[in-house]
Structures are given as C-alpha cells and as structure tokens.
Amino acid sequence: MTDPTDVESTVTRYCAAWNAHDVDTLLSMQADDMVFHLHLDGAAEVRGTDALREQYAAFFQVMPDYHAEDPRIIVRGDLAVIEYTIAATLAADFPIGRYTGKASTHARFEAVDLLHLKADKITRKDVYVDAFAMRAGWDM
C-alpha cells in the first residue's frame, strides 16, 4: 500500500498544477494511459497523453481564469478524493457533454475528483460537478 503522506503530497502538487494551468506538469504526474472522465451527460472519457494534452490546452484556453478554490484532499490507500470549488469565466462558447456554455459567462460550482494512483502516477481521474450550478452560471 502507498504511504498516504506521499499520495497527499502528489495530489497537492497536482492541484497546484491545475491552478497554474501547467499542462506539462499535469501530464508528467499522470500515467501514459491515464483516463479522464468528466461525468456529465454526453461527456466521453479521454485517454492517453496526446488526447489529454489537447483536452487540457483547450480547457485552459477557453477558461483562462480557471481556479480550483480551497481543495480538501482525503487519501485512502491509492485513492484520493478532492473536494473543491471551481471558478471560471468562459472566453468562448464551450461545449461540455451535450450542453454548451456561453462566452463571457462566469460560474462558481462545487466539484469532487476521484483520483486513482499507482506507483506515484495518476491512472484515472473521475470528475463530478454540481451540474445545475455550472449550467446556470454558464447560461447552458
């Protein structure tokens, strides 16, 4: 079993990389075949370094002020749970699943990530958001 202190340290650095919009650091902390899944109606899983690089770059381009506020990290073995608030303004229309957020709208909404780790690399990230607050804020 992985040392919880090591997992928490890794996850803390991962959260900091998201807030810094540092795609290279995010990818370096993930397994090459890592799976990212935003659990919204119509949103597909994204798998692998190249697809994730493209996804993250698009994400930060359309949300240049993206910030995850007050992350609370809970570690159990090789699983980490992160509870946080997302704050972001859309610079352009942004399709998410079967909805499209409108440019120049701002939203704040709660989110929970489940991260699976293996040998200090993140192998899977499942993201669950308060979809009602997200859709209201981004005029979806």
Side-chain angles (χ1 to χ4, degrees), residues 59-87:
F59 182 81
F60 293 133
Q61 182 177 0
V62 79
M63 289 180 261
D65 66 344
Y66 169 91
H67 186 76
E69 301 173 351
D70 303 320
R72 179 174 161 238
I73 300 167
I74 303 162
V75 175
R76 294 293 179 267
D78 293 334
L79 177 70
V81 178
I82 311 168
E83 299 172 326
Y84 57 102
T85 302
I86 293 173

Side-chain angles (χ1 to χ4, degrees), residues 28-107:
S28 75
M29 299 181 77
Q30 299 173 173
D32 291 340
D33 61 348
M34 195 273 244
V35 174
F36 176 97
H37 190 189
L38 174 59
H39 290 267
L40 286 174
D41 190 20
E45 289 185 352
V46 180
R47 179 186 304 269
T49 301
D50 293 338
L52 289 165
R53 179 179 298 283
E54 185 178 316
Q55 175 87 14
Y56 296 162
F59 182 81
F60 293 133
Q61 182 177 0
V62 79
M63 289 180 261
D65 66 344
Y66 169 91
H67 186 76
E69 301 173 351
D70 303 320
R72 179 174 161 238
I73 300 167
I74 303 162
V75 175
R76 294 293 179 267
D78 293 334
L79 177 70
V81 178
I82 311 168
E83 299 172 326
Y84 57 102
T85 302
I86 293 173
T89 305
L90 296 180
D93 286 356
F94 185 53
I96 303 173
R98 64 184 193 115
Y99 299 97
T100 299
K102 305 293 185 251
S104 301
T105 56
H106 181 79

